[in-house]
Amino acid sequence: MNTFIQRIQFHCMLAIKTRRSLDPWICLGCFSLAIIGLMSIYSAGNGSQTLFFKQFARICIALSAMLIAAYIPPRIWYRYSPWMYAVSLALLMVVLVLGHIGKGAQRWIDLGFIQFEPSEMMKLALPMMVCWWLHQQRLPPSPQHTLICFGLIGLPAILVLKQPDLGTAILLIVPSLTILFLSGLSWRWVIGLVTSLLASIPMTWHILHDYQKQRILMFLNPQQDPLGHGYHIIQSKIAIGSGGLWGKGWLMGTQAHLQFLPEHATDFIFALWAEEFGLIGVLILLSFFTMIVMRMLIMSIHAQNSYRRLLSASIAMMFFIACVVNIGMVCGILPVVGVPLTLVSFGGTSMVTMMVAFGMIMSIHAHRNLMTR
Amino acid sequence: MSRTFTPHHTIQLFKKRLLLVVIFMLICLLGLLARLIQLQLKDHAYFTTLSANNRLRIEPLSPKRGLIYDRHHRCVADNIPTYTLEFRTSSTQTPQKIVHTLSRLLNIPPKKSALWQKRIRQAHAFAPITLLTQLTEKERARIYVNLFQLPGISIHQQSLRHYPYDEITATPLGLIRHDPIQPHIYPATQKHQLPDPSHGLSGVERQYNSLLSGKSGYREIEINANGHQLRTVSTQPAAPGQNLILTLDIALQKAAVKAFGKNTGAAVVIAPQTGEILAMVSQPNYQPNIFLTPNASHQLKKWQDDPDHPLFNRATFGLFPPASTVKPLLGLMALQTHTVDLQTSIEDPGYFQLPHTQHRYRDWLPGGHGQVNLHKAIAVSCDTYFYQLSIKLGIKKINTILSSFGLGQAVSSDLAEHKGVLNSPDWKHTHQHEPWYTGDTIISAIGQGNTLVTPLQLAHAVALIGQRGHGFKPHIVKAVIEPNGKILPQPLIPWKTLPIDPIHYSQIIQAMQAVIQSPYQYHTGWRFGKISYTIAGKTGTAELYHRQTEAHQFVPKKLRDHSWFIGFAPVDHPRIAVAVITEHDSTATAVARDIFEAYFKTAAHPDAST
């Protein structure tokens, strides 16, 4: 009984002590992005309020998830990393099997009352696993361990690519490779990796799905099919370009409102923001992103051990890549992949995942002076 | 369990690598920024245009075409509304059903209904198609009442040109181009490049098109990606065309057309004191109101293929040899240059021969007119006298007097016309690569040969004779009514011939009077008969082929000569001058007589004005 009360006392003290789990910079950044998102969603809704309130609710849920994640101490994350990875991998395989049965693109597991996307879970589980693995070894990792890492990364990546989900695959591969790089992978490996990636482009071209090929072709020359596949990019560029320096004003974006810009609430929300608030608005948005990313990188420097350092950096990288890919796609300098803009796009699971990741990194940062047992 | 010990160098390695990662991130960021700056600053104007082009469309607003009145403010050209039925197929899921309902409502024959079905299948989704033009009031009522079950159907109003006097005023007014009635929507960039609202093709409608047509307005509409019109962004109202008051007198015009009957030819009636054109006729004629009926293009093609060319304005573009009508002018020149005087007379044997030649230039009267002086020569149209005179004058003097009176040049101030041809050594050299022969001068004296004139030119010339050399350029528009209602009279442009003694004028004019009423047996204007006013004139016969001695009625019509009559009345202070030509017929004098009679009958009327 006593020990039980003692335990509760201890945890409460811990909770109070870790009040400062919430990093003000990141929170500020998140709130700002959320507000930008809400403003854009409201504009995208064309006056209809349902979209706005839905987004508001989802932001609340996501922020709560972040809060909860922030209070979970990093050692818990560490302990359960391999488990999470294994479970995610299994679920991914289940998804693949279900997809085979259903003969279609499958990303969800439908549990009736909830739809569950294993690839989202993998977005968290994979970096955790790689960091966990590398933490066990002496850094920089030896060639065998590196190969094991490739296996750890490659397996879920292939499963996700088979779904097919190129966007999530990028968000799995790039942060994980960053982890390897940051752990001190020898330059020979890095160059070798890059060269083999480039060399495999012709081969990957063939295994790409038709629509993915189409997307790359459209990226290279959208005017080829201005009313079909090139439409998104052309309209998006028109929206951004016509915003100019100051933008057309909130709720005055004609491209979005007159239905010229498709997906204007989700993947292409950036174009709406750019159209309505111009370059100034875009710079404000980018500054919040930069603030968050920089803060996260600083946090990663102060982390206590390899696991925490690498994990923090990978979360920063994941967030960064998500933003760059989305904005690049909307501007027409990257081919279209389905990556939403965190907190700004009308979001669902990916927002929650990212917020949990934010919570993790804040938790890591909060625990930097505490000795973990 | 995590390790609590981390080797120092691992952290250093991490920091070093992190720096590289940060550099990579910065490069990506800069790349994005560069792209955004390119899109939003450098290419901003380009994308703004594209954005506007996406969503803005221009719908032109047609201006009201100016009305045209005759000199007594009777309307001769106005606009009437016409209604067309349009269908926008994108507005409904079931266009076939709509068409079916429509066919039933309007009693459309099944063949036409099937044609409609075919057209809606082929139609572009967003452009409306015209199903019916010139809806009757009953049809419109039926459609309006049933509009609720006809989504996508709309009735579009437009103006068509209407001529209250139809073919009577067709010649002077001309035609306007009728585009098929299609609604046009243009991209936003063409705001200031809208096409002409309506376009005159001939006559007054063409010459004054810029005043009459007004300026198109536009309605700037915003559309969404589906092509649906959402709202009007801005409107620029159309500026209506200005109204015109013509110099034409409808009563006289009617009489002139009636006088022609079935003859082909042309007539121009001018008021010599101002140069105003009171009437202009060209026969055969056409009915411009045909364009108000559905049959228009079919009929238009028939007119275009008609060998008698009803669409051709003979009054201003028809070229004919002036024939004997030039004789008074030659007489004036002869008197002025003292080549002959009134007493100079010759013996006319019925022909003229150049010395040392065999060829005989014949007079129209076999046997000749006997003793002829200038007065008689004009009255009986003695060719021999003028053959002789031509040698004495020479072609240069002949052409000087002719061009001084407007032959061989454009005479009017506001009509499109043909300049005609003055035969001269230069002209012959340039156009026919032939030298000038004396024979050319001889036949120039009787207005044959290469010299060609239009009826307008001769009317102007005879008006100048009536004005004793001080006249005005013929014109058809009396005044322009400005948008604010102010009436702006058109300036009269004077025409002065080369100076000729008034005595000579009165001598020649007396001779011209003798054409119509004289003691001479063969005065050529005898058809005039008894009249209540003084009149001076001249007849002419334009030869088509070298005359044989056949009787006239055995020559096929197509080869018969044309006949001219020019004249003015009253002799002192003339009020009208007329030039008439009838093709392949000798009835010009009779036609002219009817015109003069009509004028003086109404001239006696209290509200007739000059």
Side-chain angles (χ1 to χ4, degrees), chain A residues 136 181-182 184-185 235 237 240-242 244 248 254-255 258-260 274 279 282-283 320 331 333 373, chain B residues 1 3 10-11 13-14 17-18 20 25 33 35-36 39-40 44 47 51 54-55 224-226 230:
Chain A
Q136 313 288 7
F181 179 73
L182 287 173
L185 190 62
Q235 294 303 327
K237 290 202 295 199
I240 298 175
S242 62
K248 292 182 181 165
T254 55
Q255 285 287 102
L258 300 176
Q259 297 158 31
F260 288 105
L279 189 62
V282 160
L283 287 175
F320 178 80
C331 288
I333 55 177
R373 275 182 262 137
Chain B
M1 270 295 159
R3 281 186 219 166
T10 319
I11 301 176
L13 188 63
F14 178 83
R17 293 289 176 97
L18 193 65
L20 291 171
M25 286 182 173
L33 265 176
R35 174 64 165 181
L36 285 165
L39 287 178
Q40 291 193 303
H44 173 54
F47 285 111
S51 169
N54 266 348
R55 71 178 184 106
N224 69 3
N226 291 325
L230 296 173

Side-chain angles (χ1 to χ4, degrees), chain B residues 67-370:
Chain B
L67 305 180
I68 306 181
Y69 300 95
D70 87 331
R71 65 188 301 118
H72 299 303
H73 273 265
R74 281 179 283 236
C75 183
V76 295
D78 58 17
N79 309 296
I80 57 171
T82 182
Y83 299 92
T84 51
L85 186 62
E86 282 171 22
F87 186 27
R88 194 173 236 127
T89 47
S90 63
S91 308
T92 166
Q93 304 278 31
T94 55
Q96 286 93 344
K97 194 157 122 340
I98 307 291
V99 169
H100 184 71
T101 316
L102 209 55
S103 319
R104 198 171 38 83
L105 275 176
L106 301 175
N107 295 322
I108 304 292
K111 211 165 102 171
K112 189 151 190 184
S113 184
L115 187 67
W116 281 0
Q117 295 284 6
K118 191 168 122 184
R119 284 183 65 200
I120 60 169
R121 268 200 299 276
Q122 295 170 339
H124 185 273
F126 301 127
I129 52 175
T130 307
L131 292 177
L132 266 187
T133 56
Q134 288 150 8
L135 295 173
T136 65
E137 208 164 314
K138 207 160 159 207
E139 288 168 337
R140 272 193 291 138
R142 280 243 174 90
I143 295 170
Y144 275 127
V145 161
N146 289 292
L147 216 48
F148 65 94
Q149 54 172 333
L150 300 168
I153 293 284
S154 58
I155 293 186
H156 190 74
Q157 186 191 324
Q158 224 156 328
S159 274
L160 281 184
R161 198 58 154 170
H162 169 249
Y163 301 97
Y165 293 94
D166 211 2
E167 73 249 16
I168 294 190
T169 49
T171 307
L173 291 179
L175 273 180
I176 70 168
R177 179 177 65 203
H178 287 83
D179 287 328
I181 295 175
Q182 282 288 356
H184 289 290
I185 305 273
Y186 296 90
T189 44
Q190 285 198 19
K191 203 186 285 193
H192 301 290
Q193 295 162 325
L194 292 171
D196 282 336
S198 51
H199 205 77
L201 295 174
S202 55
V204 171
E205 297 273 22
R206 180 182 167 159
Q207 293 301 107
Y208 284 85
N209 190 62
S210 49
L211 282 179
L212 288 170
S213 65
K215 199 159 167 330
S216 277
Y218 61 83
R219 206 165 64 98
E220 199 170 23
I221 43 185
E222 191 180 57
I223 60 165
N224 69 3
N226 291 325
H228 287 133
Q229 296 186 5
L230 296 173
R231 63 188 180 108
T232 304
V233 170
S234 66
T235 311
Q236 169 98 330
Q242 296 182 33
N243 298 336
L244 297 179
I245 300 180
L246 300 181
T247 58
L248 226 56
D249 181 343
I250 269 297
L252 194 58
Q253 177 83 6
K254 266 197 205 158
V257 173
K258 188 154 164 254
F260 260 90
K262 288 218 185 56
N263 291 310
T264 60
V268 177
V269 181
I270 295 183
Q273 288 162 357
T274 50
E276 293 175 342
I277 296 176
L278 299 175
M280 185 196 287
V281 180
S282 171
Q283 295 284 80
N285 218 341
Y286 58 93
Q287 291 79 30
N289 281 339
I290 199 80
F291 293 99
L292 300 175
T293 67
N295 227 5
S297 48
H298 176 68
Q299 182 61 53
L300 182 64
K301 186 144 193 321
K302 269 175 71 180
W303 284 329
Q304 282 166 335
D305 295 337
D306 188 334
D308 282 334
H309 306 295
L311 298 172
F312 181 70
N313 186 346
R314 289 161 161 83
T316 51
F317 286 96
L319 294 172
F320 309 93
S324 308
T325 57
V326 301
K327 287 178 184 163
L329 294 176
L330 262 55
L332 275 175
M333 193 58 169
L335 290 177
Q336 183 68 13
T337 55
H338 302 291
T339 316
V340 293
D341 57 28
L342 276 188
Q343 278 73 39
T344 321
S345 79
I346 60 152
E347 179 65 37
D348 172 24
Y351 61 87
F352 172 75
Q353 244 179 319
L354 279 171
H356 315 299
T357 63
Q358 291 290 356
H359 185 253
R360 287 182 175 187
Y361 294 91
R362 295 198 184 276
D363 192 294
W364 66 268
L365 187 66
H369 297 276

Side-chain angles (χ1 to χ4, degrees), chain A residues 87-107:
Chain A
V87 167
S88 304
L89 200 61
L91 287 175
L92 275 178
M93 294 204 212
V94 166
V95 158
L96 206 66
V97 165
L98 284 178
H100 254 104
I101 297 174
K103 286 187 179 48
Q106 185 84 350
R107 297 179 193 184

